[in-house]
Amino acid sequence: RQWRKRGVKVRFLEELPFLVSIYDDVGVIFRFVQEKSYVSTHIRNAKLAKGMGMYFDSLWKKAREVKRK
């Protein structure tokens, strides 16, 4: 709710294969959740960041919008 109050658009997908953060168009952090912990991998690669940005955009289109209350 805090993000929506700040004007950030929020969408929801039922399931994601992994979590990913893309930053500054040059790096990617993957997080793979296990039962009680997670493993993360940080990769600095502009082409990977661009590709993952495209992947994010495709997921964003499939996700349903979370309406403000």
Side-chain angles (χ1 to χ4, degrees):
R1 289 184 179 158
Q2 293 297 324
W3 288 108
R4 288 193 313 255
K5 287 180 184 177
R6 294 180 180 161
V8 175
K9 293 181 180 179
V10 177
R11 291 189 174 223
F12 177 79
L13 274 176
E14 193 66 39
E15 186 176 325
L16 293 172
F18 54 85
L19 302 175
V20 63
S21 298
I22 306 158
Y23 64 92
D24 299 335
D25 296 328
V26 297
V28 177
I29 299 173
F30 294 102
R31 287 179 300 286
F32 304 95
V33 178
Q34 296 176 348
E35 283 188 34
K36 295 184 180 181
S37 64
Y38 68 90
V39 174
S40 65
T41 302
H42 175 215
I43 302 170
R44 290 183 56 89
N45 181 287
K47 288 183 179 182
L48 177 62
K50 182 175 182 174
M52 291 308 300
M54 293 167 61
Y55 176 65
F56 173 86
D57 290 341
S58 71
L59 291 178
W60 182 262
K61 290 176 185 176
K62 293 177 185 177
R64 68 175 170 82
E65 184 177 350
V66 176
K67 302 288 184 182
R68 290 185 179 184
K69 291 183 178 183

